[in-house]
Amino acid sequence: MTEAMLTTLETFYDAVPRDRARVERIGPFDLFVRTGSDGHPFYARPALGATGVTADDVAAVRARQRELGIPQAFEWVDETTPGLIGPAEAAGLAVQRAPLMVLPTGVVPEPTEPTAGVTVRLLDPDSPDFAADLAATHAVGNLAFAAHGTAVGGAGPAERDAVTAPVSAAQLAVEAELIRSGRHVRAVAVGPDGVVAIGMAQRVGAVAEIAGVGTLPSARRRGLALALTNRLVRESLSAGTGLVFLAADSDDVARIYGRIGFRRTATACIAEPADA
């Protein structure tokens, strides 16, 4: 990955949470603290241009996160902030190294269809089903990301329904505005038993990240993640996005995205307490 592309991605990462978070500068880190009570908490990232981060710097951010009662989460790109893995681990964090993959310029994937009986559609904030769709999205995400990997598991529609909770009016309004403005595109795979897989693209300017792609464990190995990602990529490109990228959960997941055309170019680091 070129220095220019790394800079573009770092600028994107810095911009994504700023309209829904306040930023606290703690040493060489920016801690993004979500405003309001709705939505997934954010994280800390090295401030743009930060270098020479130490374990004490990481510990100071962790202390502030504990004080605020938010997850002790950190994210960065190894090639942009080299040398941070060691201090992060020394400060008690476990660091996941995720393949950072970019879709080469000019690559437009052919449409991919999921298993028969399943359709992929976009969330529409003007649809009467928008609130139910968004609630199902959160429930599927909770189950999918609690069981990492690609193996088929037991959690399915019944477990999804058991953890589905109404989405607040405030969060519905925020998400509707993000979709209408083109900042977010959300897609779901829907089968006879409802939503079974989810994904989104978040966009800033001409850059889009595919994120939050997850499948109910019982519905895995049916091509749903591939079809969802394909649809999100094509939607992003048709909207004029010049750079589409993602961070894969593992090498196995990266191989799935490679079938669309994504190529590994760097390493995304995601860290949380080792004793969590």
Side-chain angles (χ1 to χ4, degrees), residues 61-271:
V61 177
R62 290 190 63 187
R64 178 58 174 155
Q65 290 170 321
R66 288 193 298 271
E67 181 182 348
L68 293 170
I70 59 177
Q72 297 170 58
F74 294 73
E75 296 186 6
W76 71 94
V77 176
D78 187 45
E79 289 76 5
T80 302
T81 315
L84 178 50
I85 291 177
E89 291 177 334
L93 297 178
V95 181
Q96 177 190 358
R97 298 157 175 83
L100 186 60
M101 308 181 76
V102 172
L103 190 71
T105 302
V107 173
V108 181
E110 292 294 324
T112 300
E113 296 299 326
T115 301
V118 179
T119 59
V120 174
R121 60 176 170 81
L122 303 181
L123 264 62
D124 178 2
D126 296 317
S127 165
D129 298 324
F130 180 59
D133 283 346
L134 197 59
T137 293
H138 294 170
V140 171
N142 288 337
L143 294 171
F145 302 132
H148 287 278
T150 61
V152 177
E159 289 75 14
R160 175 204 62 209
D161 293 345
V163 299
T164 299
V167 178
S168 72
Q171 191 170 2
L172 282 173
V174 168
E175 190 59 41
E177 175 56 28
L178 288 168
I179 292 174
R180 292 190 181 104
S181 68
R183 288 283 306 277
H184 281 185
V185 178
R186 286 188 179 269
V188 291
V190 184
D193 295 319
V195 176
V196 291
I198 62 170
M200 68 176 291
Q202 48 188 8
R203 181 182 179 192
V204 177
V207 181
E209 178 187 22
I210 308 300
V213 177
T215 304
L216 280 178
S218 68
R220 289 173 177 168
R221 304 290 178 88
R222 295 165 59 188
L224 304 184
L226 185 68
L228 273 166
T229 302
N230 188 304
R231 177 69 182 274
L232 291 166
V233 168
R234 291 187 289 110
E235 289 291 328
S236 297
L237 293 174
S238 67
T241 302
L243 175 64
V244 183
F245 77 101
L246 56 82
D249 188 61
S250 65
D251 289 336
D252 287 341
V253 175
R255 281 189 282 272
I256 295 173
Y257 295 132
R259 293 164 58 187
I260 298 176
F262 283 92
R263 295 293 176 263
R264 182 171 184 166
T265 57
T267 302
C269 295
I270 303 141

